[in-house]
Amino acid sequence: MKATLLLEDGRVFRGSGHGFEGEAVGEVVFNTSMSGYQEILTDPSYAGQIVTMTYPLIGNTGVNTEDVESRRPFLEAFVVRRMSPHPSNWRMTEPLGDYLERNRIPAIADIDTRALVRHIRTKGAMRAVLSLIDDDLESLSAKVSGSPEMVGRDLAGAVTAKEAYEAPTDAVEFIEFANLDAGKTRFRVVAYDFGIKTNILRDLVHCGADVRVVPASTSAADVLDLNPDGIFLSNGPGDPEAVDYAVGNIRKLIGSKPVFGICLGHQIMALALGGRTFKLKYGHHGGNHPVMNVDTGRVEITAQNHGFAVDPDSLDDEEVRITHINLNDQTIEGIEHRRLPAFSVQYHPEASPGPHDSYYLFEKFFRLMRDA
Amino acid sequence: MPKREDISKILIIGSGPIVIGQACEFDYSGTQACKALREEGYEIVLVNSNPATVMTDPEVADRTYLEPLTFEFVSQVIDREKPDALLPTVGGQTALNLAVELAEGGVLEKNNVEMIGAKLMSVKVAEDRLLFKEAMKEIGLATPESAVAENMRDAERVIERIGFPAVIRPSFTLGGSGGGIAYNSEEYLEIVARGLDLSPVHQVLVEQSVLGWKEFELEVMRDVRDNVVIICSIENFDPMGVHTGDSITVAPAQTLTDREYQRMRDAAVAVIRKVGVETGGSNIQFAVNPENGELVVIEMNPRVSRSSALASKATGFPIAKIAAKLAVGYTLDEIPNDITRKTPASFEPMLDYVVVKIPKWAFEKFREAEPLLGTQMKSVGEVMAIGRTFKEALLKGIRSLETGKDPGSEFIDPERVRYHLVTPNPDRLPNLLYALSNGMDVEEITRITGMDPWFINELAEIAALARELGSGTLGGLSPDKLLEAKRCGFSDDRLAGLLGSDASAVSDRRRELGIRPVYKRVDTCAAEFESFTPYFYSTYEEEDEAAPTDRRKIIILGSGPNRIGQGIEFDYCCCHASFALKEAGFETIMLNCNPETVSTDYDTSDRLYFEPLTLEDVLHVVEVEKPEGVIVQFGGQTPLNLALELQSAGVPIIGTSPQSIDLAEDRKRFGRLLSDLGIPQPPNGTAVTSEQARAAAEEIGYPVLVRPSYVLGGRAMVIVYDDRALDDYMKEAVEVSRKRPILIDRFLEDAMEIDVDALCDSERVVIGGIMQHIEEAGIHSGDSSCVLPAERLSDNSRDTIRRHTRDLAKDLDVVGLMNVQFAVQDEIVYVLEVNPRASRTVPFVSKATGVPLAKVAARLMIGEPLSSFDLPEELEIFHYFVKSPVFPFARFPGVDTILGPEMKSTGEVMGIDDTFGKAFIKAQISAGTILPRSGMAFLSVNEHDKRFLAEIGSALRDMDFKILATSGTADMLRNAGIETESVFKVNEGRPNIEDRIRSGDVDLVVNTPLGRESHFDEKAIRRAAMQYRIPCITTISGAQAAVNGIRDLQRESLTVRTLQEYHAEMKTARARS
Ligand SMILES: Nc1ncnc2c1ncn2[C@@H]1O[C@H](COP(=O)(O)OP(=O)(O)O)[C@@H](O)[C@H]1O
Ligand SMILES: Nc1ncnc2c1ncn2[C@@H]1O[C@H](COP(=O)(O)OP(=O)(O)O)[C@@H](O)[C@H]1O
Ligand SMILES: [Mg+2]
Ligand SMILES: [Mg+2]
């Protein structure tokens, strides 16, 4: 089967088609993680995006039932150099291609993904169409221009849970060597779901929380009615400025209870504190970004997945303090309110996929709840 | 944290001679460390006995000691230099062990030297297997269960708990020898008994086996702020049970999910913290149970290693360089990533390609040793290949190996395929491909090899494509299929073989279709950031990133994988050529496939192509770069073998013309040239068949020396005394070199061998050095010790040698370097061979004379005349310089340690002093032979050597040695008035000589080979001597040199001096004369 990937600026890649025999539009981005494609596929933050894996051999370990970050894949389409036809791993239950097909995700393989990545790096992330059923450039081009721009797009609203639910407490624990003081006392956490990854819930539960996951649009009053010890703001897809309803709610909540935000949750927190966000040229997607913890002077290797960032000049220095900085491009990676118990990071301490260096942030959240 | 200001002088210990398990990766890491620290303004003192390294170039460190790497000598260096700190982590196990000795011996404390990089305690925890296991237990990490046994009773008790199979490791044996894997109690008791016997402390470690588990390595770095990063993950294609150095390895890990990988990463971080390596790099090995993901830690190396060199080349992250900077206090985030410039070193490299390393073995040189792989490393070199897929990288790797056989044409015995799969051995890969092409299924192979099905399936795809291609023809091949084959990694050569065509036809067809490779960059970041370092690999993709410049440029072809006969010396020369041409304003481009080397450091040349050294791959680079010249003279035989074909493809070869090179290799034409010049040559002939060989031998007269043409390192070269042996040889020789004839020479007995390196610009000749071999002709030049200046050469012969050298250089129109080997017999000077290229001795001569011969040669090749270098007709020598070889015999059980015309040594050392004796002793010590000052000497020499017996015996007696000999020799000594004790031969009764050696009675063995009858006896003696580390000299000339040295040793003690001091003294002396 043949597949065509057409970018907004006219660049075309033709390769072999895998997964779902259909087509999809989205913003094409790249992820540099060498492992963890299954977690990436099921990360809701990729909604609206076509994800290119820079590592060329994808699917080597197939797909299993455990390494999932949500109920299904959320990205629009998948781009790889080679789709491994013969996976091998003791936990494997299904080859990647079959999984994609079953979940209606079209994929393209055997293209020069490095050329694509370099193109995105120089031209910026842009819209594209991937089709296994149409190879006519004119009609494909129309499909691209008809697709929505990422800026201004509220995707959190699209991926969030429709109903509140209690996070399962039997979550598997993966962090084996981090020296955890897993909590004895239970705390009640309300987690805003903007596209939450399951591993965040696993980590919260493991640290000693009973977690109520609520839809993105849940009002501040409804949250406070649940009488939580802390409030968590999840990761998620799309433009943070488009999630204005949540920004308003969070503004009301900051100060009332300890608040911890990750990724989109971080951006929403910054907006709620009066900041602004902007779109990065091609974002940060990978598992190797060095982040400096300003307080300790230490470097964490972090998992990242975001296309927008908080504008440092927009933050009120009297109120908000920058706690983490990306050492590659000096963008903001973490902030903290100077007086109130609220902090957030742009990257993913829950990893999955990625290194576990920043797990301490969960412990910090629990300390805030304990001390509150 | 900024760099430390409280230290200013740092001592770096190198790794000494190249041995199996410790090769030029430590020249790479050491050179990087020296450069990095000097850049920071530190004064660097270096000790390393290996002259063939770039790191011992006088410019690399401030003060360079080419002295033995022993406690005594390094203590002297410390005493003399008073360094503030010692960096022990860039010189392999040698440096680490030495540092521990120095620390425990109080030398560091007494001189106020701080160990940086790794502290004593960390080194001990990492190196002591029991302490390490204990430490792992404390952080909750599993290691294979183990116990120590000190006698057979212990052993029997221990095995109850450990179970079979069990891994047995004798403590403190040379190169870990004597260990093994036992599958049943019979084997177990046998291995333990042997191990207890071999271990100087009579101790073995018995470990639960995790045979067949997946083996992984992580390269970890840590800084003083406790920032930890993983530079690279490496997965072994061969499962546990085959040493990682002997495994095909792949980076990054291929068969781990992120969850499993992160768990390993967490474990690695925990390990480095627990062991307490404060700064720098470490290598941590893991095993994973393929059934359930269970993870165990195997070992940690708290230093840079072979794997870290590989990881550096595989990722573009220079581990040794960064480790050095971390050792002086920098943190990772303070060090920029050279490649991206804008991002810091505190990150984890991301690859967008696959790297495959394949080892290269030398079992053919050690015929008595069974070619089996196990827990002890046996390979002598390796290649690395980069591709966008595993298949592409693997096939590129295979063709980088230069096996001399076309891939797919290896001899495979169908009856033995299963054996070759089950039992790890050097030919496992071709057998795997064969099995897959012949219908054995993946599951079955996985089961019997323990290899991950993912790898086997990849091989199956290669095999299937090969089979498909093999059923067609070039004409019938569709463009798509051809592209698919190229993307899969098949070379034109291999395709030609499959399609029944020839490589040039495949290449033409490809070009017609526009199918050619592109070059992608190794950039540490999978293209996330712009890269500023032109480090490339080829692949068949859409976009090319080569972006060649329009500068004046030269391509230097490297020497490929290390092997016996072609090693680090050639890499040294290639690097020097690059340095020299850079200085001359050229852009230099290196092409090589050996990950251990300095040449494949992206810092060495302006541009680096990590590519196989085959005609196809070289031509592609030439087409992209369009260089002004290509240099084939420095990389040993590898590029030389390509010279003619490159030239006929229109490639501008600079330096000596390929025609001259060819002429020197061509027996007939070269013979004619010699007779035209009136230069004697041993009578010789050539033969393709046994009949021709017999006829030639008859005419020449026995003994004769026979060998195939066009090989380096005297491969398959033997001395033949009669027709029968000749026939045997001819039968076998056909396998080694099918197309080319066998060369037959009169063997010159008792001749003195001389090596000459010279420079020539086609008009003028400068003689670099005339080296006299210690051993007589017949012992390969690479295996013989040699001395500069040639102390035993008569003035007459010396003049003749000079004249012949000059005549030859001019007649061959040499531009660059030339090496001539002479044999002097009864004052007649014969030419044995001429190599119009850089030789193994170039670095040695350069260091002895202070003139960088390879650099000058490179400049000659771009057209500069010799006159612009202000060099005398012959470089003068002012001290004694001795080069001694180092052998890998201990790694090959059952192999005799006897020397001959086939090269066996893996490395070399250099001893320098004011007298020959002292220089020789130093070289011997560096090579691991500590000659005794007194004690008991055992003498046993052949008929031929008996005439020297009295001389040696009386010299030893005069130095107060007691003499021991077997009956015949003893009689003769007594007749000469030398008091001698008799001892039984091995089969005469007991206690025999072997028992005496084993009881520690003997301090020196002189044993020249007696011939076939006593073969067993002698071999036992030599093996026993090796095992008990008693100097064992196998030639009379060697014995004479040793006697000479012992005499000097008794008279005065040995002192140390830097190379820079020697060179300065030389300059003064030169100015005076
Ligand atoms: N317990 C074991 N069971 C099976 N194989 C082992 C075991 N321990 C080590 N090995 C094998 O032996 C090799 C060498 O062992 P290692 O501990 O790494 O020693 P070295 O210091 O020589 O590298 C390993 O690479 C691995 O393949
Ligand atoms: N005719 C000969 N008589 C005695 N020894 C010889 C003769 N030819 C070669 N040799 C010995 O064999 C060794 C290897 O031969 P050489 O021609 O140098 O091969 P290589 O190309 O491997 O260096 C020499 O170093 C020398 O000791
Ligand atoms: Mg090891
Ligand atoms: Mg030779």
mmCIF file of all heavy atoms in Angstrom, chain B residues 682 705 707 711-714 717 745-748 753 777-781 821 832-833 901, ligand 2:
data_model
loop_
_atom_site.group_PDB
_atom_site.id
_atom_site.type_symbol
_atom_site.label_atom_id
_atom_site.label_comp_id
_atom_site.label_asym_id
_atom_site.label_seq_id
_atom_site.Cartn_x
_atom_site.Cartn_y
_atom_site.Cartn_z
ATOM 1 N N PRO B 682 67.155 -12.622 -1.542
ATOM 2 C CA PRO B 682 67.219 -14.072 -1.362
ATOM 3 C C PRO B 682 66.683 -14.731 -2.633
ATOM 4 O O PRO B 682 65.684 -14.259 -3.175
ATOM 5 C CB PRO B 682 66.285 -14.341 -0.188
ATOM 6 C CG PRO B 682 66.072 -13.030 0.473
ATOM 7 C CD PRO B 682 66.297 -11.973 -0.545
ATOM 8 N N LEU B 705 61.115 -20.124 2.587
ATOM 9 C CA LEU B 705 60.045 -19.423 3.269
ATOM 10 C C LEU B 705 58.909 -19.286 2.269
ATOM 11 O O LEU B 705 59.132 -18.803 1.162
ATOM 12 C CB LEU B 705 60.577 -18.045 3.646
ATOM 13 C CG LEU B 705 59.797 -17.253 4.646
ATOM 14 C CD1 LEU B 705 59.925 -17.909 6.005
ATOM 15 C CD2 LEU B 705 60.365 -15.851 4.710
ATOM 16 N N ARG B 707 54.791 -18.105 1.362
ATOM 17 C CA ARG B 707 53.684 -17.232 1.781
ATOM 18 C C ARG B 707 52.841 -16.794 0.589
ATOM 19 O O ARG B 707 53.326 -16.783 -0.531
ATOM 20 C CB ARG B 707 54.247 -15.990 2.435
ATOM 21 C CG ARG B 707 55.027 -15.163 1.408
ATOM 22 C CD ARG B 707 55.496 -13.876 1.955
ATOM 23 N NE ARG B 707 56.935 -13.727 1.781
ATOM 24 C CZ ARG B 707 57.582 -12.663 2.195
ATOM 25 N NH1 ARG B 707 56.948 -11.711 2.813
ATOM 26 N NH2 ARG B 707 58.871 -12.566 1.997
ATOM 27 N N VAL B 711 49.755 -9.877 1.549
ATOM 28 C CA VAL B 711 49.205 -9.919 2.900
ATOM 29 C C VAL B 711 50.134 -9.177 3.833
ATOM 30 O O VAL B 711 51.306 -8.986 3.531
ATOM 31 C CB VAL B 711 49.011 -11.350 3.450
ATOM 32 C CG1 VAL B 711 47.984 -12.089 2.648
ATOM 33 C CG2 VAL B 711 50.326 -12.092 3.492
ATOM 34 N N LEU B 712 49.579 -8.744 4.948
ATOM 35 C CA LEU B 712 50.373 -8.002 5.901
ATOM 36 C C LEU B 712 50.478 -8.829 7.173
ATOM 37 O O LEU B 712 49.592 -9.586 7.505
ATOM 38 C CB LEU B 712 49.662 -6.680 6.191
ATOM 39 C CG LEU B 712 50.510 -5.596 6.824
ATOM 40 C CD1 LEU B 712 51.646 -5.194 5.914
ATOM 41 C CD2 LEU B 712 49.640 -4.381 7.110
ATOM 42 N N GLY B 713 51.569 -8.652 7.853
ATOM 43 C CA GLY B 713 51.715 -9.343 9.124
ATOM 44 C C GLY B 713 52.154 -10.776 8.948
ATOM 45 O O GLY B 713 51.968 -11.610 9.811
ATOM 46 N N GLY B 714 52.735 -11.061 7.779
ATOM 47 C CA GLY B 714 53.293 -12.391 7.571
ATOM 48 C C GLY B 714 52.265 -13.489 7.703
ATOM 49 O O GLY B 714 52.561 -14.613 8.078
ATOM 50 N N MET B 717 52.572 -17.442 6.711
ATOM 51 C CA MET B 717 53.949 -17.518 6.225
ATOM 52 C C MET B 717 54.690 -18.560 7.056
ATOM 53 O O MET B 717 54.647 -18.509 8.278
ATOM 54 C CB MET B 717 54.559 -16.154 6.468
ATOM 55 C CG MET B 717 55.908 -15.954 5.955
ATOM 56 S SD MET B 717 56.141 -14.183 6.067
ATOM 57 C CE MET B 717 57.605 -13.993 5.170
ATOM 58 N N ASP B 745 60.842 -18.119 -1.037
ATOM 59 C CA ASP B 745 62.169 -17.503 -0.903
ATOM 60 C C ASP B 745 63.120 -18.452 -0.222
ATOM 61 O O ASP B 745 62.705 -19.223 0.643
ATOM 62 C CB ASP B 745 62.098 -16.292 0.027
ATOM 63 C CG ASP B 745 61.357 -15.140 -0.565
ATOM 64 O OD1 ASP B 745 60.099 -15.183 -0.574
ATOM 65 O OD2 ASP B 745 62.011 -14.207 -1.018
ATOM 66 N N ARG B 746 64.371 -18.321 -0.520
ATOM 67 C CA ARG B 746 65.372 -18.984 0.292
ATOM 68 C C ARG B 746 65.305 -18.392 1.686
ATOM 69 O O ARG B 746 65.267 -17.171 1.849
ATOM 70 C CB ARG B 746 66.769 -18.734 -0.317
ATOM 71 C CG ARG B 746 67.913 -18.804 0.687
ATOM 72 C CD ARG B 746 68.422 -20.210 0.945
ATOM 73 N NE ARG B 746 68.942 -20.828 -0.263
ATOM 74 C CZ ARG B 746 70.108 -20.509 -0.834
ATOM 75 N NH1 ARG B 746 70.867 -19.579 -0.295
ATOM 76 N NH2 ARG B 746 70.496 -21.105 -1.924
ATOM 77 N N PHE B 747 65.264 -19.231 2.679
ATOM 78 C CA PHE B 747 65.251 -18.727 4.045
ATOM 79 C C PHE B 747 66.683 -18.461 4.483
ATOM 80 O O PHE B 747 67.515 -19.354 4.503
ATOM 81 C CB PHE B 747 64.578 -19.731 4.978
ATOM 82 C CG PHE B 747 64.598 -19.274 6.404
ATOM 83 C CD1 PHE B 747 63.869 -18.174 6.805
ATOM 84 C CD2 PHE B 747 65.387 -19.939 7.339
ATOM 85 C CE1 PHE B 747 63.899 -17.736 8.120
ATOM 86 C CE2 PHE B 747 65.424 -19.498 8.654
ATOM 87 C CZ PHE B 747 64.676 -18.397 9.053
ATOM 88 N N LEU B 748 66.958 -17.211 4.831
ATOM 89 C CA LEU B 748 68.316 -16.841 5.234
ATOM 90 C C LEU B 748 68.494 -17.160 6.714
ATOM 91 O O LEU B 748 67.887 -16.524 7.572
ATOM 92 C CB LEU B 748 68.546 -15.356 5.002
ATOM 93 C CG LEU B 748 68.375 -14.869 3.560
ATOM 94 C CD1 LEU B 748 68.428 -13.358 3.504
ATOM 95 C CD2 LEU B 748 69.455 -15.492 2.670
ATOM 96 N N GLU B 753 68.317 -9.006 10.954
ATOM 97 C CA GLU B 753 67.300 -8.275 10.199
ATOM 98 C C GLU B 753 67.347 -6.791 10.537
ATOM 99 O O GLU B 753 67.553 -6.405 11.688
ATOM 100 C CB GLU B 753 65.907 -8.850 10.477
ATOM 101 C CG GLU B 753 64.839 -8.251 9.589
ATOM 102 C CD GLU B 753 63.542 -9.056 9.554
ATOM 103 O OE1 GLU B 753 63.539 -10.212 10.035
ATOM 104 O OE2 GLU B 753 62.537 -8.513 9.051
ATOM 105 N N ALA B 777 66.530 -12.809 11.529
ATOM 106 C CA ALA B 777 65.545 -12.900 10.455
ATOM 107 C C ALA B 777 64.845 -14.243 10.579
ATOM 108 O O ALA B 777 65.457 -15.251 10.935
ATOM 109 C CB ALA B 777 66.225 -12.768 9.108
ATOM 110 N N GLY B 778 63.567 -14.239 10.272
ATOM 111 C CA GLY B 778 62.793 -15.457 10.453
ATOM 112 C C GLY B 778 61.759 -15.272 11.542
ATOM 113 O O GLY B 778 60.770 -15.981 11.607
ATOM 114 N N ILE B 779 62.028 -14.300 12.414
ATOM 115 C CA ILE B 779 61.018 -13.873 13.378
ATOM 116 C C ILE B 779 60.428 -12.616 12.769
ATOM 117 O O ILE B 779 61.157 -11.675 12.457
ATOM 118 C CB ILE B 779 61.646 -13.491 14.743
ATOM 119 C CG1 ILE B 779 62.561 -14.587 15.264
ATOM 120 C CG2 ILE B 779 60.564 -13.099 15.730
ATOM 121 C CD1 ILE B 779 61.890 -15.847 15.673
ATOM 122 N N HIS B 780 59.148 -12.604 12.594
ATOM 123 C CA HIS B 780 58.528 -11.474 11.905
ATOM 124 C C HIS B 780 58.964 -10.139 12.503
ATOM 125 O O HIS B 780 59.067 -10.003 13.725
ATOM 126 C CB HIS B 780 57.001 -11.585 11.968
ATOM 127 C CG HIS B 780 56.339 -10.651 11.013
ATOM 128 N ND1 HIS B 780 56.098 -9.346 11.312
ATOM 129 C CD2 HIS B 780 55.920 -10.836 9.743
ATOM 130 C CE1 HIS B 780 55.537 -8.755 10.270
ATOM 131 N NE2 HIS B 780 55.417 -9.643 9.301
ATOM 132 N N SER B 781 59.172 -9.163 11.625
ATOM 133 C CA SER B 781 59.664 -7.869 12.101
ATOM 134 C C SER B 781 58.744 -7.278 13.169
ATOM 135 O O SER B 781 59.193 -6.579 14.065
ATOM 136 C CB SER B 781 59.825 -6.901 10.940
ATOM 137 O OG SER B 781 58.638 -6.847 10.190
ATOM 138 N N GLN B 821 63.009 -3.733 4.409
ATOM 139 C CA GLN B 821 63.522 -4.713 5.351
ATOM 140 C C GLN B 821 64.710 -5.426 4.720
ATOM 141 O O GLN B 821 64.622 -5.902 3.589
ATOM 142 C CB GLN B 821 62.431 -5.715 5.708
ATOM 143 C CG GLN B 821 61.549 -5.163 6.804
ATOM 144 C CD GLN B 821 60.240 -5.894 6.871
ATOM 145 O OE1 GLN B 821 59.227 -5.365 6.452
ATOM 146 N NE2 GLN B 821 60.268 -7.107 7.355
ATOM 147 N N LEU B 832 64.775 -7.921 1.839
ATOM 148 C CA LEU B 832 63.660 -8.863 2.008
ATOM 149 C C LEU B 832 62.392 -8.312 1.385
ATOM 150 O O LEU B 832 61.674 -8.995 0.698
ATOM 151 C CB LEU B 832 63.405 -9.150 3.492
ATOM 152 C CG LEU B 832 64.506 -9.858 4.258
ATOM 153 C CD1 LEU B 832 64.044 -10.166 5.679
ATOM 154 C CD2 LEU B 832 64.907 -11.148 3.553
ATOM 155 N N GLU B 833 62.111 -7.069 1.677
ATOM 156 C CA GLU B 833 60.948 -6.461 1.020
ATOM 157 C C GLU B 833 61.003 -4.956 1.118
ATOM 158 O O GLU B 833 61.668 -4.385 1.984
ATOM 159 C CB GLU B 833 59.629 -7.002 1.581
ATOM 160 C CG GLU B 833 59.341 -6.566 2.989
ATOM 161 C CD GLU B 833 57.874 -6.788 3.399
ATOM 162 O OE1 GLU B 833 57.029 -7.061 2.525
ATOM 163 O OE2 GLU B 833 57.586 -6.647 4.584
ATOM 164 N N PRO B 901 57.882 -16.491 11.377
ATOM 165 C CA PRO B 901 57.685 -15.442 10.372
ATOM 166 C C PRO B 901 56.245 -14.926 10.295
ATOM 167 O O PRO B 901 55.980 -13.959 9.618
ATOM 168 C CB PRO B 901 58.107 -16.110 9.070
ATOM 169 C CG PRO B 901 57.984 -17.566 9.319
ATOM 170 C CD PRO B 901 58.183 -17.795 10.769
HETATM 171 N N1 LIG C 2 64.354 -14.807 2.918
HETATM 172 C C1 LIG C 2 64.178 -14.665 4.217
HETATM 173 N N2 LIG C 2 65.038 -15.229 5.076
HETATM 174 C C2 LIG C 2 64.860 -15.109 6.416
HETATM 175 N N3 LIG C 2 63.830 -14.489 6.967
HETATM 176 C C3 LIG C 2 62.942 -13.905 6.162
HETATM 177 C C4 LIG C 2 63.064 -13.952 4.758
HETATM 178 N N4 LIG C 2 62.035 -13.288 4.225
HETATM 179 C C5 LIG C 2 61.285 -12.857 5.247
HETATM 180 N N5 LIG C 2 61.825 -13.222 6.419
HETATM 181 C C6 LIG C 2 61.287 -12.995 7.766
HETATM 182 O O1 LIG C 2 59.875 -12.997 7.691
HETATM 183 C C7 LIG C 2 59.360 -11.799 8.209
HETATM 184 C C8 LIG C 2 58.141 -11.377 7.410
HETATM 185 O O2 LIG C 2 58.467 -11.187 6.079
HETATM 186 P P1 LIG C 2 58.085 -9.873 5.275
HETATM 187 O O3 LIG C 2 58.478 -10.055 3.888
HETATM 188 O O4 LIG C 2 58.588 -8.698 5.953
HETATM 189 O O5 LIG C 2 56.491 -9.957 5.371
HETATM 190 P P2 LIG C 2 55.440 -8.875 5.832
HETATM 191 O O6 LIG C 2 54.944 -8.298 4.576
HETATM 192 O O7 LIG C 2 54.446 -9.651 6.560
HETATM 193 O O8 LIG C 2 56.141 -7.881 6.684
HETATM 194 C C9 LIG C 2 60.473 -10.813 8.127
HETATM 195 O O9 LIG C 2 60.314 -9.826 9.101
HETATM 196 C C10 LIG C 2 61.693 -11.683 8.318
HETATM 197 O O10 LIG C 2 61.981 -11.854 9.685
#
